[in-house]
Amino acid sequence: MRTRSCARRLFAYRPLAVAAAVAVLVGASPPAQAQLVSSSGDVSPVFVAAPVVDLTGQRIFLGFTTAGVGSLGSLSITGGGSLTAAQIVPGVGGLGVGTVSVSGAGSVINLTGGAAFNGLDIGSWGTGTVTVSNGGRIACASTLACQFNSIGNAAG
């Protein structure tokens, strides 16, 4: 009878051992963060998240105001990701809210300009925030590529 009792106890503990092993695997450190350029919310043009996003010649708008309603839009470049665009406009219209974050060594926004659309236009009547941290950067292809940078372009 003791043999059966021990066998039952061992069997009863096996699911716990498996659960503990799963918990250890789930709690393991995640792999290093991949290079990524991503967006969320109200962003135009829409693009697929990727390590490198090339929107040369295009303006990126984040957070709009439509029919008196504001929206949120965000852009994030992390882990050495790279974004190229003519202009980035976080916070469009009186109620639009846009945020840009460039974080991590090698993470970069390359502004190439194009016609009258150049550089950063932060808070173009709306509310815009740009944060560059931990080795991230924003680079201009030339002086002309960023000649129209502005912060708080108009009341908003």
Side-chain angles (χ1 to χ4, degrees), residues 101-116:
S101 174
V102 186
S103 180
S107 300
V108 63
I109 293 176
N110 294 302
L111 297 170
T112 59

Side-chain angles (χ1 to χ4, degrees), residues 81-92:
S82 172
L83 169 70
T84 300
Q87 182 181 40
I88 298 178
V89 186
V92 182

